[in-house]
Short mmCIF file of all heavy atoms in Angstrom, two decimals:
data_model
loop_
_atom_site.label_atom_id
_atom_site.label_comp_id
_atom_site.label_asym_id
_atom_site.label_seq_id
_atom_site.Cartn_x
_atom_site.Cartn_y
_atom_site.Cartn_z
N ARG A 70 6.16 21.87 1.98
CA ARG A 70 5.82 21.10 3.16
C ARG A 70 5.27 21.97 4.29
O ARG A 70 4.35 21.61 4.97
CB ARG A 70 6.97 20.17 3.56
CG ARG A 70 7.16 18.90 2.76
CD ARG A 70 6.07 17.91 3.14
NE ARG A 70 6.30 16.71 2.33
CZ ARG A 70 5.41 15.89 1.88
NH1 ARG A 70 4.13 16.24 2.11
NH2 ARG A 70 5.67 14.80 1.22
N ALA A 71 6.05 22.96 4.55
CA ALA A 71 5.68 23.87 5.66
C ALA A 71 4.28 24.49 5.41
O ALA A 71 3.51 24.56 6.35
CB ALA A 71 6.73 25.00 5.87
N LYS A 72 3.96 24.94 4.21
CA LYS A 72 2.77 25.49 3.90
C LYS A 72 1.55 24.50 3.98
O LYS A 72 0.47 24.86 4.39
CB LYS A 72 2.76 26.11 2.42
CG LYS A 72 3.47 27.33 2.40
CD LYS A 72 3.50 27.87 0.84
CE LYS A 72 4.43 29.04 0.82
NZ LYS A 72 4.67 29.43 -0.58
N GLN A 73 1.89 23.20 3.74
CA GLN A 73 0.90 22.10 3.86
C GLN A 73 0.65 21.80 5.32
O GLN A 73 -0.30 21.10 5.58
CB GLN A 73 1.37 20.94 3.11
CG GLN A 73 1.55 20.97 1.71
CD GLN A 73 0.24 21.27 0.93
OE1 GLN A 73 -0.74 20.58 1.16
NE2 GLN A 73 0.18 22.30 0.11
N GLY A 74 1.46 22.20 6.19
CA GLY A 74 1.23 21.93 7.61
C GLY A 74 1.97 20.63 7.97
O GLY A 74 1.88 20.17 9.22
N ASP A 75 2.68 20.02 7.10
CA ASP A 75 3.34 18.61 7.37
C ASP A 75 4.55 18.70 8.32
O ASP A 75 4.70 17.92 9.15
CB ASP A 75 3.89 18.04 6.07
CG ASP A 75 2.68 17.75 5.03
OD1 ASP A 75 1.58 17.44 5.56
OD2 ASP A 75 2.91 17.83 3.94
N LEU A 76 5.22 19.91 8.31
CA LEU A 76 6.37 20.03 9.18
C LEU A 76 5.87 20.18 10.66
O LEU A 76 6.45 19.73 11.58
CB LEU A 76 7.21 21.20 8.80
CG LEU A 76 7.92 21.00 7.40
CD1 LEU A 76 8.72 22.18 7.10
CD2 LEU A 76 8.66 19.75 7.22
N GLU A 77 4.72 20.96 10.79
CA GLU A 77 4.13 21.11 12.08
C GLU A 77 3.65 19.77 12.64
O GLU A 77 3.81 19.48 13.82
CB GLU A 77 3.05 22.18 11.99
CG GLU A 77 2.34 22.49 13.37
CD GLU A 77 1.35 23.54 13.15
OE1 GLU A 77 1.49 24.51 12.35
OE2 GLU A 77 0.32 23.45 13.88
N THR A 78 3.08 18.98 11.79
CA THR A 78 2.56 17.72 12.14
C THR A 78 3.71 16.83 12.71
O THR A 78 3.62 16.15 13.76
CB THR A 78 1.89 16.97 11.05
OG1 THR A 78 0.74 17.76 10.67
CG2 THR A 78 1.38 15.58 11.44
N LEU A 79 4.78 16.81 11.92
CA LEU A 79 5.95 16.03 12.31
C LEU A 79 6.56 16.56 13.58
O LEU A 79 6.89 15.73 14.55
CB LEU A 79 7.00 16.11 11.18
CG LEU A 79 8.35 15.31 11.50
CD1 LEU A 79 8.05 13.93 11.73
CD2 LEU A 79 9.30 15.62 10.31
N ALA A 80 6.60 17.91 13.77
CA ALA A 80 7.27 18.49 14.97
C ALA A 80 6.52 18.02 16.23
O ALA A 80 7.13 17.84 17.32
CB ALA A 80 7.18 20.04 14.87
N ARG A 81 5.26 17.80 16.20
CA ARG A 81 4.44 17.32 17.35
C ARG A 81 4.88 16.01 17.83
O ARG A 81 4.73 15.52 19.00
CB ARG A 81 2.96 17.39 17.14
CG ARG A 81 2.36 18.81 17.03
CD ARG A 81 0.98 18.78 17.06
NE ARG A 81 0.25 18.17 15.99
CZ ARG A 81 -0.15 18.80 14.93
NH1 ARG A 81 -0.01 20.17 14.78
NH2 ARG A 81 -0.66 18.25 13.94
N LEU A 82 5.52 15.20 16.98
CA LEU A 82 5.99 13.85 17.28
C LEU A 82 7.41 13.79 17.71
O LEU A 82 7.81 12.75 18.21
CB LEU A 82 5.87 12.89 16.01
CG LEU A 82 4.53 12.86 15.35
CD1 LEU A 82 4.57 11.93 14.11
CD2 LEU A 82 3.39 12.35 16.30
N LEU A 83 8.13 14.91 17.76
CA LEU A 83 9.56 14.89 18.01
C LEU A 83 9.89 15.51 19.35
O LEU A 83 9.24 16.36 19.88
CB LEU A 83 10.30 15.78 16.99
CG LEU A 83 10.01 15.32 15.43
CD1 LEU A 83 10.83 16.19 14.57
CD2 LEU A 83 10.45 13.85 15.29
N GLN A 84 11.03 15.04 19.85
CA GLN A 84 11.53 15.58 21.10
C GLN A 84 12.18 16.80 20.97
O GLN A 84 12.19 17.71 21.91
CB GLN A 84 12.62 14.51 21.65
CG GLN A 84 12.18 13.18 22.03
CD GLN A 84 13.36 12.34 22.45
OE1 GLN A 84 14.24 12.72 22.86
NE2 GLN A 84 13.05 11.01 22.23
N SER A 85 12.74 17.16 19.80
CA SER A 85 13.56 18.39 19.47
C SER A 85 13.32 18.62 17.99
O SER A 85 12.96 17.77 17.19
CB SER A 85 14.89 18.23 19.90
OG SER A 85 15.52 17.16 19.30
N PRO A 86 13.65 19.85 17.51
CA PRO A 86 13.62 20.17 16.11
C PRO A 86 14.55 19.32 15.33
O PRO A 86 15.64 18.88 15.79
CB PRO A 86 14.02 21.67 16.08
CG PRO A 86 13.76 22.18 17.34
CD PRO A 86 14.03 20.99 18.35
#
Side-chain angles (χ1 to χ4, degrees):
R70 278 284 182 215
K72 289 178 186 175
Q73 296 296 311
D75 298 328
L76 300 183
E77 185 177 322
T78 299
L79 179 61
R81 288 193 293 266
L82 306 178
L83 303 179
Q84 297 175 27
S85 57

